[in-house]
Amino acid sequence: MNSDTTTDRGDLRGILGMFRRRWLLVVVATVIGAAAGLIIAKSHKKDYSGTAVLLFRPVLLDVQLTGLPLQQPANDPQRETSTDLGLVTLPQVRSRAAAALGPGYTAEKLKDKVDVSAKGKSQLVDVKATDNTPAAAAAVANAMADSFVAYRRQGLVARIDSAIRQVQRELRRRNTTRLQRVVLRNNYTKLVQLRAVQPGDVQFVSRAIPPTKPSSGSTLLYTILGGLLGFLVGIAAAVGSEALDRRVRRPDEVESALDLPVLATIPRSRTLRDGVGVWEGLSGADVEAFRLLRTNLRYRTGGRDLHSVLLTSAGAGSGKTTVALHLAAAAAAATDGRVLLIEADLRRPRLAQLLGLPAELGLSSALESDVEIDDLVASVPTAEGENGAGTAPGFDVLVAGPPLPNASELLGSERMSALLRQAGLDYELTIVDGPPPALVSDTIPLMKQVDGVLLVARLGHENSPELGALRTQLERLGVAPLGVVANFSRRTANPYVTTGT
Ligand SMILES: Nc1ncnc2c1ncn2[C@@H]1O[C@H](COP(=O)(O)OP(=O)(O)OP(=O)(O)O)[C@@H](O)[C@H]1O
Ligand SMILES: [Mg+2]
């Protein structure tokens, strides 16, 4: 049950995360959908409906009057109603209505415009017509109802005429008795009287009046439906793009992509982004993340001393220089020994600018000529952590120096090896900031000359195939990294650390 709750919470967090990342897509799709609905509603020809009401009544009165079954009352009233409904839209009825309505109307057109339905179980029948103006809708409904009333009357009159003719034939027959003739004459008179009153079994009870509002969907309805459809499309697009997105977002995804432990998770921080001087302005959580990295690194060497570590990554901009700098500061604060930071990224140097140091002299100068590193390193003071309390020992830094065309050769040269050996003698820990091996080969010779390699991965930026390729490349080179730093993590509260700067 507990694990179920955890999974549910994980799923929910995943869904919320997806919305946080893709909200713009969903909003844009919803707005486009609503706008499309609005445009359709505005451009759509509006429909209006008018309804005339007819009353169907059996002609029992006529039977009483004449004693003749002019129209058989049905046993099943439901069946009779459905038969009558069908009769209302007979072609003859539509043709007569079309002729009454005038040009523009045909029996065929009226078929689609008219709908007949019974009003519950009563004998009332609605004749509903739909047209594109209120007046036309009412006119069509009334014309159809009129036409049907006339059609029924005509049918009944025809039947009375045929009954009259039959009575006449009976009367003229030779073998009728006197009594029969009396009855027949009586019937004849009644039939003639009935015909004179123009009977009908359908009555027009309510004429259609032009409607005031269109019957087809309102603008608001179309806009809401369009927006809803757009929202659903937006959600589908968000889910689809999320499924195709292979970027790593969580430290555990980095871990499985590289098959390496995450030694520290560095929060995304404005201070780190702005590159303000070492420790200054860093929150307690940021400081603690780098301390933790330093401590974890020490325990990852399996008892071996770690005197030099190279930082590299799958791609550019993952935060190698930033992590190297703050790791140097954390290491300097944690040990009595000296700490050196070497910027071996000769192609995209950043440290000199970040620390306000001269960029004219640096590692490249040492590799080109026999300058001692003591003459090239600069000392960086660090002010201890939170609330600016106390001072901590600083560290030395060897910036990249002027750019060189043959950086790769020089970094793989004997002079570079000698420089690292010298650093190993003079410093407790040497941190080397190197470029990504997938982009330039400069780092490859350096990897073999340090005690350990540390990878930096940028969450939400690098993707798992990229990280997988780095892992394969390192395996082929026979390099087993110590672990990985998950940089740019969304800040999560650490209950052990105060959030002050
Ligand atoms: N945790 C972080 N939070 C916010 N910004 C960060 C963080 N880490 C690094 N940055 C910023 O990201 C950018 C790239 O960082 P950095 O230069 O350290 O990366 P890099 O891997 O050394 O890049 P390059 O491949 O160009 O050498 C810099 O602007 C830096 O300030
Ligand atoms: Mg860098």
Side-chain angles (χ1 to χ4, degrees):
M1 157 138 192
N2 223 346
S3 77
D4 276 2
T5 321
T6 315
T7 317
D8 287 353
R9 230 179 279 149
D11 289 350
L12 189 67
R13 214 174 294 141
I15 292 169
L16 289 178
M18 183 193 83
F19 272 109
R20 203 177 44 225
R21 287 187 292 276
R22 314 276 171 188
W23 65 269
L24 193 61
L25 185 64
V26 177
V27 169
V28 168
T30 309
V31 171
I32 290 177
L38 186 68
I39 291 167
I40 291 172
K42 291 281 177 202
S43 59
H44 201 257
K45 258 210 286 178
K46 288 194 173 60
D47 279 340
Y48 295 85
S49 298
T51 305
V53 184
L54 296 174
L55 172 67
F56 282 71
R57 57 193 177 99
V59 279
L60 294 174
L61 184 75
D62 311 331
V63 178
Q64 279 169 12
L65 194 70
T66 63
L68 295 167
L70 298 176
Q71 182 170 323
Q72 293 286 348
N75 297 333
D76 176 1
Q78 196 64 43
R79 206 176 126 236
E80 190 188 37
T81 308
S82 57
T83 319
D84 292 340
L85 293 185
L87 297 177
V88 179
T89 50
L90 278 176
Q92 302 90 299
V93 179
R94 282 186 275 119
S95 299
R96 191 194 289 249
L101 285 163
Y105 290 95
T106 62
E108 198 52 39
K109 271 192 191 166
L110 289 183
K111 200 173 178 182
D112 300 330
K113 289 181 189 281
V114 180
D115 183 40
V116 182
S117 60
K119 256 189 191 311
K121 287 191 172 160
S122 68
Q123 300 289 319
L124 293 172
V125 165
D126 281 346
V127 180
K128 181 175 159 191
T130 305
D131 214 325
N132 38 37
T133 67
V140 171
N142 291 332
M144 281 298 288
D146 275 334
S147 167
F148 184 64
V149 170
Y151 167 78
R152 291 296 283 218
R153 185 171 294 144
Q154 210 176 26
L156 196 57
V157 168
R159 285 201 297 280
I160 296 170
D161 284 346
S162 123
I164 290 173
R165 281 195 299 277
Q166 196 186 335
V167 172
Q168 282 173 331
R169 272 198 302 276
E170 295 282 328
L171 275 171
R172 284 182 202 125
R173 267 173 48 198
R174 212 179 286 149
N175 52 355
T176 46
T177 63
R178 192 186 172 86
L179 183 63
Q180 280 174 328
R181 273 208 297 280
V182 170
V183 173
L184 283 169
R185 263 191 228 112
N186 193 23
N187 280 350
Y188 177 81
T189 314
K190 282 178 184 172
L191 283 167
V192 170
Q193 279 169 354
L194 183 61
R195 194 187 187 289
V197 296
Q198 291 279 308
D201 60 348
V202 179
Q203 200 183 329
F204 206 149
V205 286
S206 159
R207 296 188 72 78
I209 50 165
T212 50
K213 280 192 200 150
S215 56
S216 54
S218 72
T219 307
L220 181 67
L221 186 72
Y222 270 83
T223 311
I224 291 174
L225 285 179
L228 199 68
L229 195 71
F231 177 73
L232 294 177
V233 170
I235 296 277
V239 170
S241 59
E242 193 79 356
L244 294 175
D245 190 351
R246 307 290 308 277
R247 279 178 292 182
V248 288
R249 301 195 185 280
R250 296 192 315 265
D252 60 303
E253 291 174 349
V254 172
E255 237 168 35
S256 55
L258 283 166
D259 196 18
L260 283 176
V262 168
L263 301 186
T265 299
I266 311 294
R268 172 203 296 258
S269 113
R270 188 175 299 167
T271 317
L272 291 174
R273 187 197 64 200
D274 296 344
V276 184
V278 181
W279 296 133
E280 272 172 38
L282 280 192
S283 73
D286 297 343
V287 173
E288 193 49 43
F290 290 110
R291 277 194 199 137
L292 194 66
L293 173 61
R294 166 66 195 134
T295 311
N296 283 342
L297 262 182
R298 214 185 281 154
Y299 291 105
R300 280 294 294 168
T301 50
R304 270 189 303 121
D305 281 346
L306 179 79
H307 290 300
S308 55
V309 62
L310 170 89
L311 275 79
T312 190
S313 65
S318 58
K320 299 176 291 295
T321 305
T322 306
V323 173
L325 181 66
H326 289 276
L327 174 63
T335 167
D336 289 339
R338 299 169 72 205
V339 174
L340 173 67
L341 169 60
I342 299 178
E343 186 175 33
D345 190 342
L346 301 180
R347 299 172 199 250
R348 287 163 68 99
R350 185 166 176 252
L351 269 183
Q353 181 237 327
L354 203 61
L355 296 170
L357 297 171
E360 300 79 46
L361 282 179
L363 178 63
S364 58
S365 329
L367 295 177
E368 265 195 326
S369 55
D370 275 334
V371 193
E372 284 293 316
I373 54 166
D374 279 349
D375 299 332
L376 295 171
V377 296
S379 158
V380 179
T382 58
E384 171 68 272
E386 300 161 46
N387 309 325
T391 52
F395 58 91
D396 286 350
V397 60
L398 177 58
V399 298
L404 294 174
N406 52 344
S408 192
E409 274 168 45
L410 287 174
L411 288 171
S413 68
E414 176 48 37
R415 201 169 276 175
M416 182 68 203
S417 308
L419 191 145
L420 284 174
R421 279 198 298 278
Q422 182 64 46
L425 291 176
D426 293 352
Y427 291 91
E428 169 73 23
L429 178 67
T430 302
I431 298 165
V432 185
D433 172 19
L439 304 184
V440 283
S441 58
D442 307 11
T443 337
I444 297 171
L446 295 179
M447 288 184 186
K448 298 284 182 186
Q449 298 178 45
V450 290
D451 297 336
V453 171
L454 177 65
L455 304 182
V456 180
R458 180 169 177 168
L459 299 178
H461 190 76
E462 275 153 2
N463 57 47
S464 34
E466 248 176 346
L467 295 179
L470 175 64
R471 179 181 149 189
T472 314
Q473 187 186 16
L474 295 179
E475 269 168 16
R476 283 203 195 115
L477 293 168
V479 175
L482 299 170
V484 56
V485 176
N487 194 14
F488 282 89
S489 144
R490 287 195 170 270
R491 193 174 290 275
T492 46
N494 180 344
Y496 287 93
V497 181
T498 55
T499 48
T501 55

